[in-house]
């Protein structure tokens, strides 16, 4: 079974600054996907970024980038130029490569990020 | 993009009644849908995996007779909370796995959630 740990229950950052959210995971799998999801106050889950484990290059999406360290089983999210709209819960999630079990996601406990003006 | 809807968005019911929540993929076919439960300030907990045309697979500790899941078509899955009690009050979220050529089949798209309050 996989476990995902987010060690920072809450974080805050000043607008326009950079913040890094931590995530570690435990798995015996070699091929998998990692995700960061954002859940704003509306409660709608929004995919922020995805990383395939077989890719060494870190994924980036505009102001969002990850630091994927496969050997250390670490997957941190960096948000640059933080904006007020980034205020949300952020969940790290793990998914094994496709199988007949349906590609279930395992979520971490979440980090509540507050961007301050 | 792929859109998933849920209905209703909020429901309040009396203890002992049953409540049905619908999850629809609006612009794609979903062979697999997932149902999650989220308590306040907590993470999403997978309840069950629903495959079109077959019985749902429930996670350990989830009562399948209490949380009835039906995935009758490639665009609709329903979760029925039977004989609801106050401890069933929670936020229920569904997601759908995209199916189709040329589409990333590893991504799940989430519905907006349903807040259930049992009095």
């Amino acid at each position: 079974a996989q476990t995902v740990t987010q060690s920072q229950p809450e974080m805050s950052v000043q607008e326009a600054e950079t913040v890094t959210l931590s995530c570690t995971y435990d798995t015996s799998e070699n091929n998998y996907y990692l995700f960061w999801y954002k859940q704003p106050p509306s409660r709608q889950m929004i995919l922020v970024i995805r990383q395939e484990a077989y890719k060494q290059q870190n994924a980036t999406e505009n102001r969002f980038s990850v630091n994927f360290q496969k050997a250390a089983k670490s997957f941190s999210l960096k948000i640059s130029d933080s904006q007020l709209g980034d205020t949300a819960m952020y969940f790290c999630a793990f998914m094994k490569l496709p199988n007949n079990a349906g590609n279930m996601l395992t979520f971490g406990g979440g980090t509540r990020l507050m961007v301050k003006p | 993009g792929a859109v998933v809807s849920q209905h209703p968005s909020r429901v309040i019911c009396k203890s002992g009644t049953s409540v049905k929540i619908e999850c629809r993929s609006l612009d794609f076919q979903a062979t697999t849908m997932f149902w999650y439960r989220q308590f306040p300030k907590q993470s999403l907990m997978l309840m069950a995996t629903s495959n079109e045309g077959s019985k749902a697979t429930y996670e350990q500790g989830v009562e399948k007779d209490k949380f009835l899941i039906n995935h009758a078509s490639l665009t609709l899955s329903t979760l029925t909370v039977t004989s609801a009690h106050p401890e069933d009050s929670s936020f229920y979220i569904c997601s759908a796995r995209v199916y189709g050529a040329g589409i990333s089949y590893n991504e799940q798209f989430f519905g907006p959630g349903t807040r259930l309050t049992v009095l």
Side-chain angles (χ1 to χ4, degrees):
Chain A
Q2 287 67 231
T3 59
V4 179
T5 302
Q6 294 178 247
S7 59
Q8 305 148 314
E10 293 187 2
M11 295 191 72
S12 64
V13 64
Q14 291 296 132
E15 194 176 8
E17 294 190 348
T18 296
V19 64
T20 298
L21 309 183
S22 301
C23 173
T24 58
Y25 59 94
D26 188 23
T27 184
S28 58
E29 302 288 332
N30 189 48
N31 296 316
Y32 49 86
Y33 286 79
L34 294 164
F35 304 85
W36 278 98
Y37 283 91
K38 169 185 177 180
Q39 188 180 41
S42 68
R43 306 293 291 270
Q44 173 73 59
M45 295 288 284
I46 301 167
L47 177 64
V48 175
I49 200 165
R50 174 178 63 194
Q51 175 80 43
E52 291 89 342
Y54 62 86
K55 290 187 178 179
Q56 290 189 331
Q57 186 173 5
N58 289 324
T60 62
E61 286 288 341
N62 301 312
R63 297 183 295 108
F64 300 88
S65 62
V66 298
N67 183 2
F68 173 48
Q69 301 290 328
K70 190 173 183 180
K73 296 180 182 175
S74 170
F75 182 61
S76 61
L77 174 70
K78 184 171 81 171
I79 306 175
S80 304
D81 186 24
S82 296
Q83 301 177 358
L84 296 178
D86 295 334
T87 292
M89 280 289 288
Y90 286 82
F91 293 101
C92 178
F94 174 100
M95 178 194 286
K96 290 195 299 184
L97 264 188
N99 54 47
N100 292 332
N103 305 105
M104 58 175 283
L105 284 165
T106 301
F107 286 93
T111 297
R112 184 174 302 277
L113 176 67
M114 173 74 73
V115 180
K116 298 179 179 180
Chain B
V3 179
V4 176
S5 70
Q6 274 184 249
H7 179 80
S9 57
R10 288 175 177 263
V11 58
I12 301 173
C13 69
K14 293 183 179 179
S15 185
T17 61
S18 294
V19 174
K20 180 185 284 189
I21 302 170
E22 292 186 349
C23 176
R24 294 183 183 270
S25 56
L26 298 185
D27 50 2
F28 65 96
Q29 293 182 326
T31 53
T32 305
M33 290 184 173
F34 303 86
W35 287 95
Y36 297 87
R37 185 173 181 176
Q38 186 179 30
F39 289 108
K41 298 186 178 181
Q42 293 190 22
S43 187
L44 281 72
M45 299 296 294
L46 179 66
M47 298 175 66
T49 301
S50 166
N51 291 295
E52 186 265 339
S54 63
K55 290 184 178 180
T57 302
Y58 290 82
E59 294 300 300
Q60 192 172 9
V62 178
E63 299 175 61
K64 56 183 164 183
D65 293 334
K66 181 168 187 60
F67 298 100
L68 301 179
I69 291 173
N70 183 276
H71 193 161
S73 75
L74 285 172
T75 59
L76 173 65
S77 177
T78 60
L79 168 67
T80 301
V81 183
T82 62
S83 187
H85 288 95
E87 57 266 30
D88 298 324
S89 297
S90 189
F91 193 68
Y92 292 88
I93 304 174
C94 73
S95 71
R97 171 186 161 191
V98 179
Y99 173 81
I103 301 172
S104 168
Y105 54 89
N106 294 315
E107 186 167 348
Q108 291 183 24
F109 292 91
F110 286 82
T114 296
R115 183 179 300 282
L116 170 63
T117 303
V118 184
L119 303 177

